[in-house]
Amino acid sequence: LAQDLPDSGHIWALVSHRLAPFPSAMQIFAYAVAMLAFLVVSNGMLVSVTSSLSFDEAGAKNRPVSKVIALLKDMLKQMEKEGEEDEAIYEKLACWCETNDKDKTKSIADAESRISQLTTEIEGLTSGSARIGTEIKNHEKEVAKNQATLDQATSIRK
């Protein structure tokens, strides 16, 4: 039986690569138990090894690290929920922006077209106003001339 077992250096090589770079106390203990078992078996003795280690689940839940992990998991769930809500709001806002952008772009184009039409109309009316102003002056001169002729004719009749 002892000739079938690897030497202690070989066991250390097998275990140490699993322990690297920073072995925990549990890993060191496991290595020590393995080495003890190897030495006992290699000397022809049969030994039964039992572990008194147990896992306290309730105690593990109350450890600070467990509390931090639980908080991080809760934060992750909350962030995922908020992300979904934000995505829904973004979709509504993006839809509103696209619709609003189309409406505003159309309104701007209509207003610019209306501005061009009104500018042309203002220029036409301004030239019409100048023409009518000239006609009024000509008519006033003609009325004054006719009034002078009427006054002269009236004075001749008297």
Side-chain angles (χ1 to χ4, degrees):
L1 180 67
Q3 67 269 13
D4 295 335
L5 295 174
D7 62 31
S8 62
H10 184 66
I11 289 178
W12 175 248
L14 290 173
V15 175
S16 67
H17 85 340
R18 295 189 184 269
L19 299 179
F22 302 106
S24 68
M26 183 60 85
Q27 289 173 325
I28 293 172
F29 177 73
Y31 172 71
V33 169
M35 288 301 293
L36 180 61
F38 172 74
L39 292 174
V40 169
V41 171
S42 66
N43 289 328
M45 295 197 252
L46 184 58
V47 175
S48 173
V49 178
T50 60
S51 174
S52 64
L53 297 176
S54 65
F55 181 70
D56 182 16
E57 189 174 330
K61 289 183 180 177
N62 292 327
R63 290 192 321 224
V65 172
S66 298
K67 291 178 182 178
V68 169
I69 291 171
L71 284 172
L72 289 173
K73 287 180 180 178
D74 290 343
M75 287 174 62
L76 180 62
K77 288 177 186 175
Q78 182 67 26
M79 286 176 52
E80 288 172 352
K81 180 182 173 189
E82 289 175 358
E84 291 170 1
E85 292 172 357
D86 288 346
E87 188 175 331
I89 291 171
Y90 174 79
E91 287 175 7
K92 288 179 183 177
L93 182 63
C95 179
W96 179 83
C97 287
E98 287 178 20
T99 304
N100 195 36
D101 184 46
K102 289 176 185 175
D103 291 344
K104 295 301 178 187
T105 303
K106 184 179 181 304
S107 295
I108 289 170
D110 292 346
E112 288 175 348
S113 174
R114 181 81 174 130
I115 288 171
S116 297
Q117 291 172 352
L118 292 174
T119 301
T120 303
E121 188 176 338
I122 288 171
E123 290 172 355
L125 293 174
T126 302
S127 66
S129 173
R131 183 183 47 83
I132 291 173
T134 304
E135 287 178 6
I136 289 173
K137 287 181 184 176
N138 290 338
H139 288 303
E140 286 175 348
K141 290 178 185 175
E142 195 174 316
V143 167
K145 182 177 159 187
N146 288 339
Q147 186 64 40
T149 307
L150 180 63
D151 288 342
Q152 186 181 15
T154 305
S155 66
I156 292 176
R157 277 189 244 152
K158 285 191 189 178

